[in-house]
């Protein structure tokens, strides 16, 4: 079986449905025997279909004014990720954000004039931001939040241009003006607050180790010694592993899903990532499991440009409404729909923190 892996330099198909092979496509022969946990020819075929839907198809969305699919491009340039940060935050209450407001400002006016909210998202994280194999549309907990923001600002939850960005490009995409918001399981921390602004927290997660069942790896501890451990470039997991590698051999990749592919190919021995993301990956591949305990407490926020204070306040207003209603809140409905099957036991969203200014 041969699976086509698309490089970051590769061009898109221009809407034709045919891959552009002029820009560095590569082919990888993937031995069936090395795929873990799929069990049998029919299961492997289904796995390939899901992989193709989630990874290989160009990201598209129906433009509200035309109804025709509009290609959403990967960033044309791959700027270097910001330098890694330490896990110990030095600022006070990094999760505290600007107080909510529905007052329009220059950023909101620009988005309204454009008629679209440009959102940086993932299309490969199962249950968070991924292409649904049933209808081919983007789906997930983060996508539901993007729709709520677009609905509030533009009156139409589909007035969105989705741009798939790798983990390492979340900050540069905002700084370069390629996107208005990043809703992509992005942890709020002091280092990132030097470069971008964040909303209040909309989800709590923690870093944990994902390893094959039967692996001698027991968690984020000395059992990592000599093991190849994969993290996404620019992630808090990468920073954690650099700060305390436990004698492991770090492997860095542009996107977190690349780690799961490498684990399935036997190219790495384990993954460090947010347990919320890892739970979805374990659901995709039952041969892997979370081991040990979460060793950090992290909060996801919507990231925006540093000077877009009106948009930050507006998103915080959206989140206020999104959390309201207890078990009937839009937040809880999105959790039940997308995350509860793979990440049960979450009682509700984290409480918001605000600061003056």
């Amino acid at each position: 079986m041969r699976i086509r892996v698309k490089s970051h330099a590769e061009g898109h198909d221009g809407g034709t449905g045919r891959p552009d092979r002029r820009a560095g496509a590569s082919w990888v022969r993937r031995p069936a025997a090395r795929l873990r946990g799929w069990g049998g020819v029919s299961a492997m075929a289904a796995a390939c279909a899901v992989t193709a839907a989630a990874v290989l198809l160009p990201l598209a969305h129906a433009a509200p004014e035309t109804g025709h699919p509009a290609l959403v491009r990967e960033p044309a340039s791959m700027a270097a990720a910001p330098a890694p940060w330490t896990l110990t935050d030095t600022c006070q209450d990094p999760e505290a954000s600007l107080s909510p407001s529905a007052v329009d400002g220059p950023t909101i006016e620009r988005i309204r004039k454009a008629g679209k909210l440009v959102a940086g998202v993932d299309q490969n994280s199962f249950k968070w931001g991924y292409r649904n194999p049933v209808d081919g549309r983007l789906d997930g907990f983060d996508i539901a939040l993007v729709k709520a923001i677009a609905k509030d600002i533009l009156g139409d939850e589909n007035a969105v241009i989705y741009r798939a960005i790798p983990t390492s490009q979340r900050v540069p995409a905002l700084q370069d003006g390629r996107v208005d918001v990043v809703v992509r399981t992005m942890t709020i921390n002091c280092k990132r607050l030097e470069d971008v602004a964040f909303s209040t927290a909309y989800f709590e997660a923690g870093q944990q180790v994902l390893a094959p069942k039967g692996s001698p790896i027991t968690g984020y501890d000395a059992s990592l010694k000599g093991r190849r451990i994969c993290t996404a470039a620019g992630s808090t997991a990468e920073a954690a592993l650099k700060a305390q590698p436990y004698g492991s051999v770090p492997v860095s990749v542009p996107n977190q899903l690349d780690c799961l592919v490498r684990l399935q190919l036997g190219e790495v021995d384990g993954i460090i990532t947010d347990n919320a993301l890892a739970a979805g990956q374990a659901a995709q591949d039952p041969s892997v499991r979370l081991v040990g305990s979460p060793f950090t407490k992290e909060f996801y926020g919507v990231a925006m440009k540093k000077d877009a204070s009106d948009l930050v306040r507006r998103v915080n207003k959206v989140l206020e409404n999104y959390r309201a209603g207890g078990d009937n809140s839009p937040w809880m409905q999105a959790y039940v729909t997308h995350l509860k099957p793979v990440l049960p036991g979450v009682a509700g969203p984290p409480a918001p923190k605000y600061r003056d200014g």
Side-chain angles (χ1 to χ4, degrees):
M1 179 176 64
R2 190 170 61 176
I3 293 179
R4 184 171 180 272
V5 178
K6 190 175 194 178
S7 70
H8 290 293
E10 183 178 356
H12 285 280
D13 62 7
T16 65
R18 296 185 299 273
D20 181 353
R21 299 185 181 175
R22 297 170 296 173
S26 59
W27 291 85
V28 176
R29 184 169 295 278
R30 186 171 179 174
R34 300 193 71 179
L35 278 172
R36 298 190 181 99
W38 296 111
V41 175
S42 60
M44 186 177 293
C48 293
V50 171
T51 301
V55 181
L56 304 182
L57 292 179
L59 182 60
H61 190 77
E65 72 274 20
T66 65
H68 297 300
L71 279 181
V72 181
R73 297 172 296 278
E74 299 278 357
S77 63
M78 294 294 293
W85 47 89
T86 61
L87 295 182
T88 303
D89 277 329
T90 55
C91 60
Q92 187 175 4
D93 288 333
E95 294 85 30
S97 183
L98 298 175
S99 58
S101 173
V103 176
D104 292 347
T107 310
I108 298 293
E109 290 174 358
R110 177 184 57 74
I111 292 170
R112 284 210 176 120
K113 184 176 180 181
K116 300 278 179 29
L117 176 73
V118 185
V121 298
D122 198 351
Q123 63 171 338
N124 297 322
S125 290
F126 187 51
K127 297 299 184 180
W128 286 94
Y130 71 107
R131 189 171 287 282
N132 193 318
V134 175
D135 57 16
R137 291 183 176 273
L138 278 176
D139 205 356
F141 190 84
D142 280 346
I143 304 304
L145 180 52
V146 171
K147 290 180 177 181
I149 296 169
K151 175 71 173 178
D152 183 86
I153 295 175
L154 296 166
D156 180 2
E157 69 173 22
N158 293 315
V160 181
I161 294 174
Y162 293 102
R163 288 195 172 147
I165 52 175
T167 306
S168 60
Q169 285 294 294
R170 292 177 296 189
V171 169
L174 285 166
Q175 293 177 323
D176 297 346
R178 284 178 266 152
V179 298
D180 299 315
V181 296
V182 169
V183 188
R184 195 189 183 286
T185 58
M186 189 169 178
T187 300
I188 305 167
N189 62 33
C190 296
K191 179 60 182 178
R192 287 176 177 159
L193 283 169
E194 296 176 6
D195 300 313
V196 298
F198 278 101
S199 70
T200 54
Y202 68 85
F203 201 87
E204 180 181 337
Q207 294 296 316
Q208 199 166 349
V209 178
L210 187 73
K213 291 178 179 176
S215 167
I217 296 174
T218 57
Y220 186 61
D221 53 34
S223 66
L224 298 181
K225 185 175 181 179
R227 309 289 175 183
R228 298 160 298 175
I229 304 300
C230 190
T231 62
S235 68
T236 50
E238 182 187 48
L241 198 60
K242 285 184 177 180
Q244 177 53 276
Y246 284 110
S248 65
V249 180
V251 177
S252 181
V253 296
N255 271 309
Q256 208 281 325
L257 185 67
D258 298 338
C259 284
L260 182 61
V261 173
R262 291 200 177 203
L263 188 67
Q264 291 171 334
L265 290 171
E267 295 176 356
V268 298
D269 304 302
I271 301 168
I272 297 177
T273 187
D274 300 357
N275 58 354
L277 288 172
Q281 293 179 357
Q284 286 177 295
D285 186 346
S287 73
V288 301
R289 63 188 179 97
L290 285 163
V291 294
S293 301
F295 57 91
T296 64
K297 181 180 285 189
E298 303 181 14
F299 296 91
Y300 297 159
V302 178
M304 290 152 278
K305 206 164 186 178
K306 186 81 171 168
D307 60 358
S309 57
D310 60 322
L311 181 58
V312 174
R313 294 183 187 276
R314 187 57 166 267
V315 170
N316 283 340
K317 183 67 176 176
V318 173
L319 284 170
E320 265 200 343
N321 298 331
Y322 205 64
R323 298 183 191 99
D327 289 343
N328 296 318
S329 68
W331 189 99
M332 186 57 72
Q333 291 172 8
Y335 165 73
V336 170
T337 299
H338 300 291
L339 298 179
K340 189 174 182 179
V342 299
L343 195 67
V346 177
K353 295 181 180 180
Y354 298 111
R355 59 179 170 83
D356 295 334

